[in-house]
Amino acid sequence: MTRMAVSALEGAELNVETTGRGPAVVALHGFTGSAETWRSFSEAAETSFTVVAVDLPGHGASDSPPDSRLYTMERHVQALAEILDRLGLERVGWLGYSLGGRIALSAAVALPERTAALVLESASPGIALEEERQQRIRDDETLADWIAEVGVQRFVEYWESLPLWHSQKRLPAPVRDDLKAQRLRNDPIGLANSLRGAGTGAQPPLYDRLGEIAAPALLLVGEDDRKFADIALEMLRLMPESPLIIVPDAGHAAHLEQPDLFGQVVIRFLEEVLTPAASQ
């Protein structure tokens, strides 16, 4: 565990956990997550890749600045570029889940010269229609205010009751308990500001920029996550050379619900596009 002060966040520190060896893959978790999200993947990949798991601003062991303007997508990308510089990494693979997928996609668009590969799990390019986008901003602002008011315990109880997580009821009780304990370690101000600054409505939509991505990309989504499966199909239309993997018996968090299959698919893809033999 290493904490790095980041200029893009006006000196706030981000927690960065690095494991394994080989080409670097920067792994970005979802909303309410942390670097722990990637524990299983990091263990599976440790002999092939260096996994750089970052606690995003307001999450995990990273700082939770009180100013929501430090949580914009642009600030996230700038912060990640600083981390790459600090670690001496010229080009990396980006692996992002949900919120982390939107950030990884934004990084791939903004930093093409530093992007060697892109893996998006249950990700979105934002909201294309302005009316829908503005409504999402209002909804997220309301939810953010509520989180700041009631705290993490009540919010997590509400969050885990959403239909998005229904498939996780199939998980063993210890896995669900660990996930809840991880979510509860977050800071309410950090979660609220993450919604305000980097929510799906707050981020600039990227549908019209998907065609700019030259790096090899892989899309993954759980078969039970119909909303994000439809989004993935739309992304595939705009990124036709990117394979789409539908993970069976999984919902929004395929990496958690089918960790072995997820690891196999992602590692195989990254070995094909990141290892020296793949470029010869």
Side-chain angles (χ1 to χ4, degrees), residues 3-280:
R3 286 171 59 84
M4 296 185 182
V6 180
S7 297
L9 304 180
E10 297 185 355
E13 294 186 346
L14 296 183
N15 178 52
V16 181
E17 302 186 9
T18 303
T19 59
R21 61 180 184 270
V25 178
V26 177
L28 306 174
H29 61 78
F31 182 64
T32 77
S34 74
E36 292 181 39
T37 295
W38 305 112
R39 185 186 308 152
S40 175
F41 176 78
S42 296
E43 292 173 354
E46 64 181 354
T47 60
S48 302
F49 299 101
T50 299
V51 178
V52 181
V54 180
D55 282 347
L56 297 172
H59 290 80
S62 288
D63 287 345
S64 297
D67 186 349
S68 63
R69 292 174 297 180
L70 299 181
Y71 293 74
T72 64
M73 196 60 69
E74 182 180 11
R75 296 272 191 165
H76 278 83
V77 172
Q78 291 171 350
L80 290 170
E82 283 188 55
I83 289 172
L84 297 190
D85 290 341
R86 294 276 291 277
L87 297 176
L89 300 173
E90 291 295 326
R91 299 177 76 239
V92 299
W94 302 104
L95 166 60
Y97 159 62
S98 198
L99 164 63
R102 291 190 287 109
I103 295 170
L105 179 57
S106 298
V109 169
L111 306 171
E113 73 286 353
R114 309 198 75 163
T115 299
L118 178 64
V119 178
L120 302 176
E121 176 196 2
S122 304
S124 155
I127 300 174
L129 296 178
E130 184 63 20
E131 184 176 346
E132 292 182 13
R133 187 167 167 256
Q134 291 302 320
Q135 184 59 54
R136 179 60 180 268
I137 290 173
R138 290 191 292 270
D139 291 345
D140 281 349
E141 183 66 35
T142 299
L143 180 57
D145 290 345
W146 185 71
I147 296 170
E149 176 186 350
V150 305
V152 170
Q153 179 75 42
R154 281 188 61 187
F155 166 67
V156 168
E157 291 172 359
Y158 157 77
W159 187 247
E160 294 187 336
S161 72
L162 295 177
L164 183 66
W165 313 114
H166 181 77
S167 61
Q168 294 184 8
K169 294 180 179 179
R170 300 190 295 245
L171 292 169
V175 176
R176 297 198 307 271
D177 291 345
D178 285 348
L179 177 60
K180 184 168 188 174
Q182 179 270 303
R183 284 171 166 159
L184 289 171
R185 286 193 287 272
N186 286 309
D187 181 281
I189 298 302
L191 295 182
N193 281 337
S194 180
L195 275 177
R196 294 180 177 120
T200 309
Q203 77 159 83
L206 294 173
Y207 279 98
D208 62 351
R209 301 198 64 184
L210 295 182
E212 299 175 19
I213 298 173
L218 171 67
L219 309 175
L220 295 101
V221 65
E223 68 172 350
D224 296 335
D225 189 3
R226 292 313 313 165
K227 174 182 177 179
F228 280 84
D230 290 343
I231 292 172
L233 288 171
E234 179 62 16
M235 293 175 68
L236 182 63
R237 185 181 69 81
L238 299 168
M239 304 167 64
E241 297 184 8
S242 304
L244 169 60
I245 303 296
I246 307 294
V247 181
D249 298 319
H252 193 62
H255 67 273
L256 179 68
E257 298 169 58
Q258 295 292 341
D260 292 341
L261 178 57
F262 178 88
Q264 292 167 11
V265 169
V266 174
I267 290 170
R268 185 183 309 121
F269 170 78
L270 292 174
E271 285 177 341
E272 290 174 354
V273 299
L274 290 185
T275 57
S279 62
Q280 293 178 356

